[in-house]
Amino acid sequence: MLDFSVVVNRWQDLVYGVGSTLALSCAGIVLALCIGLLGAALQRSSRLIFLVPVRIFVEVIRNTPFLVQIFFLFFALPFIGVRMDPTMTAVIALAINGGAYSIEIIRGGVESIPRGQIEAGAALGLSQFQILGDIVMVPALRAIYPALTSQFILLTLTSSVCSSISANELTHYAQRIESETFRSFEVYFTITGLYLVISWLMMTTLSMLGRRLFSYPNQ
Amino acid sequence: MPTKSKLPTSEGKVLIELKNVDKWYGGFHALKDINLSVRKGEKIVLCGPSGSGKSTLIRCINHLEKIRGGTVTVDGRVMGETAKSVEGVRRDIGMVFQSFNLFPHLRIIDNCSLALRRVKKMPRDEAEKAARKYLDRVHILEQAEKYPAQLSGGQQQRVAIARALCMEPKAMLFDEPTSALDPEMVKEVLDTMIELARDGMTMICVTHEMGFARQVADRVLFMADGEILEEATPQEFFSNPKHERAQAFLGDILGHQ
């Protein structure tokens, strides 16, 4: 017989798990966005010293499994003296992984901006950096916002992999409840629902944010 | 005052000077040994068949195109020697593009005040005040709070002119400013340009609007295949073009007017 009372009894743990997953994901998203913007900006440079490291970073991260990346950070780095707690490691792993994908997505957005926009900025005497920040960034982000949103939701769902190093997040709490109660079906059924709620929350928030930021009319 | 040129407005100091300018796109020789000097207050119209290098020429003046040989000097500054000289010259020269190139995510007032705030480091209220002044000058102040997409092509181009004027440039470059407009909007933009000319702005215009050339140009330059083939006052150029390419060109564009 199914018995959801074990899940109900541990609701505080689950709420805490949902909160942790949201916090972990938001931190990862913000950092991934920073990495994405910085990487996309560096990719516009003509200097190999900027271009090559970004290219290598993107290729290495996009062509290796996330689980291996997080194991590398958590188990391999201590051998060269870099030690972080599991949750910190999880945030950094999510930021690096999401950042690599964001670089490629944002680069696509930047490339979609007509040359004339950049020339108009240059003709007004704006610097390369100002052109990128004031003229290119908002329309570029608007162009790729749906792709970026789904990448960030993917990042949120991927955060469950961080349970493998016992980071503070929902799947980790679920595993703990399950190992204490042996109620696998009830526990995983519940967190499946909770992940759906989290995704829906993220999607709604991001699309509201998008409507606010990119409300200007189309040409 | 001694004058070298026979042309009417030859007084005033030289503001823009191109000397032996060469420009290549790969194996294509886009500008061949161009020499041109423009005095303060002069209005120059550049015309010629498409692909003749007109746009390339004015884009070399503010370094949107890099030249291979020769020098471009603007108000005593040799262009392209340092990054500073490029930004300095661009601040001194306004440019209006065929496709307007307004920034779609910024309101009209912000389109105009952006460069004042970023380049001239003006505080926001002061920059907006200046922007309103120039929007008023192109008769479009009432659209200040709108976004570019909410304006017609003619209105957008007038905003683009105001945006360039905000930087108080010493000269203005126009790159086919009316070519992308619907016919009924050409006049409002040309009228704005004529007012600007009357106020004494130094202007170099790439345009096929021969009525405009007749009305405001001090000199008409005819280009073909990357060379300036003819240089004359509008009266001379339209009534008695000397080069056969110019005769053929005028025949083509005036034939339907």
Side-chain angles (χ1 to χ4, degrees):
Chain A
M1 274 298 279
L2 293 179
D3 178 9
F4 276 91
S5 67
V6 290
V7 176
V8 176
N9 288 336
R10 304 288 289 266
W11 68 272
Q12 278 161 315
D13 280 349
L14 291 173
V15 168
Y16 193 68
V18 169
S20 310
T21 285
L22 281 172
L24 188 66
S25 308
C26 289
I29 287 170
V30 169
L31 290 175
L33 189 60
C34 295
I35 293 174
L37 289 170
L38 182 70
L42 289 178
Q43 285 218 313
R44 289 188 62 74
S45 163
S46 49
R47 299 218 186 107
L48 287 182
I49 192 156
F50 294 129
L51 273 173
V52 173
V54 176
R55 246 4 284 164
I56 292 175
F57 171 73
V58 169
E59 293 305 324
V60 168
I61 298 302
R62 294 209 312 168
N63 293 297
T64 51
F66 180 68
L67 187 61
V68 172
Q69 291 165 12
I70 197 166
F71 280 169
F72 183 84
L73 289 179
F74 193 65
F75 296 118
L77 284 190
F79 279 95
I80 54 165
V82 183
R83 241 169 256 277
M84 295 172 290
D85 72 63
T87 306
M88 186 66 180
T89 310
V91 169
I92 290 174
L94 288 170
I96 288 177
N97 188 270
Y101 284 94
S102 302
I103 288 175
E104 286 297 275
I105 296 172
I106 294 171
R107 184 175 72 146
V110 170
E111 281 170 4
S112 78
I113 301 304
R115 249 179 83 87
Q117 291 284 309
I118 294 155
E119 289 181 349
L124 287 166
L126 295 166
S127 68
Q128 279 300 316
F129 190 71
Q130 291 169 328
I131 290 173
L132 215 51
D134 289 319
I135 297 172
V136 174
M137 193 167 76
V138 172
L141 286 180
R142 167 154 127 164
I144 46 90
Y145 196 69
L148 207 56
T149 303
S150 60
Q151 189 61 48
F152 287 157
I153 291 189
L154 200 62
L155 181 149
T156 307
L157 299 179
T158 305
S159 72
S160 74
V161 176
C162 303
S163 62
S164 59
I165 56 162
S166 307
N168 256 335
E169 51 76 51
L170 182 57
T171 307
H172 175 62
Y173 284 99
Q175 282 173 338
R176 254 192 359 213
I177 299 171
E178 191 239 19
S179 67
E180 288 164 22
T181 63
F182 303 105
R183 287 287 174 180
S184 308
F185 183 88
E186 290 86 339
V187 169
Y188 289 115
F189 182 84
T190 307
I191 70 158
T192 300
L194 289 175
Y195 272 111
L196 277 173
V197 172
I198 290 173
S199 289
W200 177 84
L201 258 175
M202 289 294 236
M203 207 129 59
T204 317
T205 315
L206 287 172
S207 86
M208 258 163 46
L209 192 69
R211 271 203 297 275
R212 241 188 100 74
L213 288 176
F214 309 121
S215 62
Y216 62 91
N218 255 322
Q219 193 71 36
Chain B
M1 181 182 266
T3 53
K4 278 180 224 153
S5 166
K6 299 181 291 293
L7 294 161
T9 39
S10 48
E11 63 273 9
K13 61 169 185 165
V14 172
L15 191 61
I16 298 171
E17 186 155 45
L18 283 76
K19 271 192 182 149
N20 311 108
V21 168
D22 266 296
K23 164 81 190 166
W24 292 76
Y25 291 112
F28 177 68
H29 203 172
L31 292 178
K32 299 169 188 164
D33 195 29
I34 298 287
N35 286 286
L36 171 67
S37 67
V38 181
R39 288 164 190 281
K40 199 169 178 305
E42 246 190 320
K43 290 104 185 96
I44 310 269
V45 163
L46 265 175
C47 64
S50 89
S52 58
K54 310 164 301 237
S55 293
T56 307
L57 192 157
I58 66 167
R59 289 163 57 87
C60 287
I61 295 173
N62 65 352
H63 213 255
L64 288 182
E65 303 286 351
K66 281 191 190 126
I67 57 177
R68 183 183 284 186
T71 53
V72 176
T73 313
V74 176
D75 203 21
R77 266 204 209 95
V78 179
M79 189 61 160
E81 276 186 334
T82 60
K84 275 267 167 285
S85 77
V86 173
E87 281 174 23
V89 167
R90 283 174 174 171
R91 219 172 303 174
D92 281 349
I93 295 191
M95 188 166 203
V96 175
F97 300 85
Q98 181 175 1
S99 48
F100 328 139
N101 296 346
L102 295 183
F103 309 129
H105 58 299
L106 300 179
R107 293 174 305 150
I108 299 307
I109 185 81
D110 299 323
N111 258 278
C112 293
S113 57
L114 176 69
L116 289 176
R117 292 194 283 130
R118 291 291 187 268
V119 180
K120 293 198 171 172
K121 311 288 177 206
M122 232 184 233
R124 184 184 270 273
D125 52 341
E126 208 178 309
E128 290 193 356
K129 205 176 142 204
R132 283 180 202 283
K133 179 175 125 194
Y134 287 103
L135 285 171
D136 193 30
R137 191 161 155 192
V138 301
H139 314 296
I140 205 156
L141 184 55
E142 70 282 1
Q143 313 284 1
E145 310 301 324
K146 290 191 181 164
Y147 285 91
Q150 295 166 316
L151 270 56
S152 73
Q155 291 174 321
Q156 288 193 48
Q157 194 60 301
R158 285 190 282 146
V159 171
I161 293 172
R163 179 174 72 179
L165 289 178
C166 281
M167 295 298 283
E168 305 196 322
K170 294 175 177 148
M172 289 276 284
L173 308 173
F174 291 86
D175 190 1
E176 305 207 30
T178 57
S179 308
L181 293 173
D182 290 332
E184 74 271 21
M185 291 168 189
V186 170
K187 188 175 176 298
E188 62 181 79
V189 171
L190 288 180
D191 285 346
T192 307
M193 290 168 65
I194 290 167
E195 279 175 40
L196 199 58
R198 296 225 169 98
D199 292 343
M201 178 61 77
T202 309
M203 294 163 72
I204 304 180
C205 312
V206 173
T207 182
H208 292 146
E209 295 294 335
M210 292 302 137
F212 171 79
R214 241 187 262 268
Q215 208 174 332
V216 307
D218 296 309
R219 276 189 281 165
V220 175
L221 269 53
F222 175 76
M223 284 186 78
D225 301 330
E227 291 177 284
I228 298 176
L229 294 182
E230 188 158 344
E231 183 179 339
T233 62
Q235 292 86 340
E236 275 169 26
F237 181 71
F238 291 114
S239 56
N240 186 23
K242 290 180 188 67
H243 202 281
E244 60 181 65
R245 295 286 301 269
Q247 292 163 0
F249 173 75
L250 284 174
D252 284 343
I253 65 161
L254 298 177
H256 306 289
Q257 284 185 5

